[in-house]
Amino acid sequence: MRSIDFGGACLAVAALAALPLLNPGEYLLGVLTLGLIYGIWAAGWDFMSGLTGRANFGYGLFIGLGAYFGGFANTLWRTDPWMGLPIGVGVGVIAALLVGLPTLRLRGPYFALAMLAASVVMERLVLILWRYTGGDEGLNDLDPLVESHVAFYYVALAFLVGSAAILLRLSHSRLGLVLRAIRGDEAACQAAGLDVTFYKIGSLMISAAFGGLGGVLYAHFQLQVSPQLFSMQMAMAIITMAYVGGLGSIYGPVVAAIVLTLATELLRPFGAWRLLVYSILLIIALFLARDGLVAPAWQALRRALSRGRDAAPEPLRQARSPGTSA
Amino acid sequence: MEVIVLGAVTSSVYALLAVGFTLIFGVARIINLAHGAFYAVAGYAAYILINLGGWPVLPAMLAAVLITALFGVAVDRVFVRPLRHSHMAVLMITLAISMAVEQGLTVAFLGEARSLPPLIDGKVSVLGVDVAAQRLLTLLVSVVLIGALWLFIQRSRLGAAILAISQDPEAAEYVGIPAERIFALVMGLSAALAASASVLASPFLSVQPSMGLLPMVKAFCIVIIGGLGSIPGSILAACLLGFTETFVAFHISSTWSEVISVAAVFAMLALRPAGLLGKREAF
Amino acid sequence: MSTILRAEGITRRFGGHLALSDVRFALEEGTVTGVLGPNGAGKTTLFNVLSGFIPATAGTVVFDGQVVTGMRSDRIVNLGLARTFQLPRPFIGMTALENIEVGCLGPRARARARQAPAVQAAALAERVGLAAKSGITVANLSYGDLRRLDIARALASHPRLLLLDEPLAGLGPSETEPLLTLLRQLNAEEGLAILIIEHKLSEFMRLVDRVVALDYGKVIADGTPAEIVRDARVIESYLGGAEEMEAEDA
């Protein structure tokens, strides 16, 4: 059964790796690269919010902080762009700890509200501190991570594959089991002797690490950092990808991120239309496809495939697929 | 002196917003992320009626409040009710609605800031300070509205039903209070309060698609500081924040106001998560 | 024998309502003690306070020589005081085995385990009689299975004292006997102390060594089952009404 998952993943990665060979042109390749970066974000968001069921409306906080600090490192301190990556990860993790400590030890809506407020305020703060952050203009003239667009595409692909592999691995580990238990019933987790707060903050820090990583990649891809990274619209797009992909599945949001980025890029000239599409997609997903589209589609496909190979079902693995309760 | 008068005006607008937000939480246990969208819808409804429909200012504003209240009821009926079993789904749907409204308005009105005419022109001298009459009217109407809400909840039968549901939803259901109808009503009320804040404040602020976001974030902050679900707590926190903000705006700069409120929230959550007047453990 | 748990004047107020008032008792190691009382007497509130799920308004709980009042509930579990819930609380969307495995991941369970959590969970499933159903998602388990699942998850932390809140409620006769046998075994073989709330009186009285009777949040009697059934106050507050209940059961 696992071999089908592995096979599917290899096939998908091989297809993505082969795409530049078709000579798609710089523009399309750029859009694809953006999709890969969104994939890292969607997987990172899903790891915390999809598994534990704690809505995070301020994921832009981690993305923006990662991108800005990566940008500062590059433009102010003239460090190598590659050095920005660990900086972005570190900044994301620290921010997660700072926001998580006061809010995640509480039950109820405090985390959701505080994350939203924190990202909105950070966007304001960037504008207020324009002397250092460049205000609306943001940071410009960053060094590229690698010279050619094709090379950057492969760098982004490598990071996406690595991130998704790590997050998938973790979500099927004991840590993932505990996080899904937290989504089910926090009090029962405590009765099982688990420090729920510790696990929630830990998963937020892991989630934020990938937000920061993607932020730095994005900065060195656009060669520019702007305050919109902190915005609700940013978080909203990522949340929609996770919902369309299937909460808690990690791979679903990754696929949805790539597909949606490509699809909505067609709407880029219309700016607002693109975000309107995301909001409407999210509403539709909430009502009509509670488990998303990508993950259930894959589950159905692999059932069909495995029925072809041998008839024995494996209830245990199926049960680990994301539940219906959000 | 100016700080006191203007601080009171700011506080009253915040209180209108925060009371509606905390009311719907206290009764239906919903964090309504579309609260900011209500604020924006009212602003645009008034703008359309006045500038495109040629309505006089007062009827247009009353109609805008009514339209927003109906919008609130519709949001509750159509979108929130089917998802009520999951907190995360309710959060998501209200956020999606608020984004859809914001983006829809951007598409329709190109994102430019518009302005509303004031209900009354001119300046009034209060405590030796010249204040725009519209601001003073805002303060007055806010106080009256919140007082009316208080009376409604404490004195009327419907208010008693609302209180009963907020204290014990199961028991309320048991004695035959129709919870879903009350939730829709409260959502409408909450939207009407946000709409009133909007039509009162828009003449001296402005109307734009994202106009609801920052006021909503302030409403969160106020509600957390005052204690989730506590109406007196919200009013107290609104005053605290309104005066602090006005004071800071006078002496330092107005741009820091959101930063201050969010910093206050984090301090509050770290020290006293229940808020100033909150007793109840959140859901 | 030494004392494993001591309740010293526990008081809990909900608004104007006094749910527990100056509750005092002590539990000896390795004994089975029952909490008796009519509905609303404060039994579940007592469990919630003892296990740290809600704070006490006043008073102290001493477990194994350590004051645990005000401690986080998961810490208390990791000292060896585990509990089950009045209504079973499984993790939806997971299999029975995974549910038990979650219980095996706490620090105390990890420190005492000689095997991997999954192996340990399988052994516990076997122990409570869920081995055949360990791969089934909890949505498809019977009520009795869910009760046993709750107990298995609590046992995973290697408790020295287990609080059981109505473990027999909702079970048929065919499910009741095996569970009682299991509880007796755990007590006899592993020296597990048990504090139990149960409304099925005949089973309850046969299981317990001692009874603490509560009414209106106060301890009204404390003694052996034989003493309790003769206690005038207990009869007045509870047993009178309970006979009707027993009759309904039959």
Side-chain angles (χ1 to χ4, degrees), chain A residues 42 90 167 209:
Chain A
L167 290 171

Side-chain angles (χ1 to χ4, degrees), chain C residues 12-246:
Chain C
R12 171 70 211 198
R13 207 181 277 282
F14 290 112
H17 172 64
L18 200 57
L20 291 173
S21 152
D22 196 33
V23 171
R24 291 166 192 278
F25 62 88
L27 301 183
E28 301 302 315
E29 246 173 286
T31 57
V32 181
T33 310
V35 181
L36 191 67
N39 285 330
K43 301 181 302 282
T44 296
T45 306
L46 175 66
F47 270 30
N48 282 336
V49 170
L50 292 180
S51 57
F53 271 74
I54 59 174
T57 311
T60 15
V61 179
V62 182
F63 176 73
D64 204 11
Q66 216 172 334
V67 176
V68 297
T69 5
M71 211 181 257
R72 250 183 16 228
S73 54
D74 57 283
R75 291 235 171 108
I76 298 177
V77 174
N78 286 306
L79 292 173
L81 199 174
R83 70 168 295 176
T84 64
F85 294 94
Q86 197 169 11
L87 296 170
R89 297 178 78 155
F91 302 120
I92 310 293
M94 293 190 192
T95 63
L97 193 67
E98 285 177 313
N99 260 272
I100 303 174
E101 199 181 333
V102 172
C104 298
L105 297 176
R108 184 181 170 91
R110 298 285 283 271
R112 283 165 192 250
R114 265 157 275 146
Q115 300 137 320
V119 182
Q120 221 186 319
L124 280 164
E126 179 84 52
R127 177 103 221 221
V128 300
L130 281 175
K133 297 174 180 171
S134 56
I136 297 178
T137 43
V138 289
N140 300 319
L141 289 179
S142 75
Y143 202 68
D145 292 337
L146 292 179
R147 289 234 171 260
R148 283 186 284 179
L149 190 65
D150 238 22
I151 293 173
R153 203 170 57 197
L155 289 176
S157 65
H158 295 263
R160 294 181 57 205
L161 171 62
L162 181 59
L163 311 183
L164 294 170
D165 197 346
E166 295 196 46
L168 304 179
L171 299 197
S174 63
E175 290 177 314
T176 307
E177 251 348 282
L179 191 59
L180 284 172
T181 313
L182 172 69
L183 295 179
R184 282 198 198 95
Q185 263 177 12
L186 288 167
N187 176 246
E189 290 166 17
E190 290 167 30
L192 176 69
I194 295 174
L195 184 65
I196 181 171
I197 298 173
E198 185 51 64
H199 281 298
K200 291 189 175 169
L201 280 191
S202 59
E203 287 87 353
F204 176 83
M205 289 300 185
R206 276 189 285 136
L207 185 67
V208 300
D209 307 316
R210 203 181 119 215
V211 176
V212 175
L214 284 184
D215 198 11
Y216 295 109
K218 289 193 178 101
V219 176
I220 54 169
D222 183 343
T224 64
E227 288 164 4
I228 290 294
V229 290
R230 286 194 304 268
D231 189 288
R233 295 183 64 186
V234 175
I235 293 168
E236 185 195 330
S237 82
Y238 185 78
L239 293 177
E243 269 161 25
E244 292 162 29
M245 231 175 66
E246 291 278 277

Side-chain angles (χ1 to χ4, degrees), chain B residues 44-64:
Chain B
Y44 272 92
Y47 173 81
I48 292 169
L49 290 174
I50 294 168
N51 289 44
L52 307 176
W55 286 38
V57 178
L58 183 64
M61 287 188 169
L62 291 176

Side-chain angles (χ1 to χ4, degrees), chain A residues 53 57 103 105-106 109-110 113 120-121 124-125 128 232-233 236 239 243 272-273 276 279 283 286-287 290 326, chain B residues 31 33 79 82 85-86 88 91-93 95-96 99-100 102-103 107 214 228 255 258-259 262 269-270 273 283:
Chain A
F57 298 113
T103 57
R105 63 196 177 92
L106 308 171
Y110 296 102
L113 292 182
V120 169
V121 148
R124 291 283 293 172
L125 211 53
I128 294 170
M232 286 294 305
Q233 285 85 342
M236 179 74 190
I239 289 170
Y243 264 87
W273 282 105
L276 193 57
S279 349
I283 295 174
L286 281 166
F287 276 93
R290 205 65 64 69
Chain B
I31 294 292
L33 298 179
F79 294 106
H85 55 91
S86 159
M88 183 149 145
L91 281 167
M92 288 294 167
I93 197 73
L95 176 77
M99 281 290 146
E102 183 183 321
Q103 300 307 329
V107 169
L214 288 176
L228 262 175
T255 48
E258 287 85 15
V259 183
V262 171
L269 288 179
F283 7 142

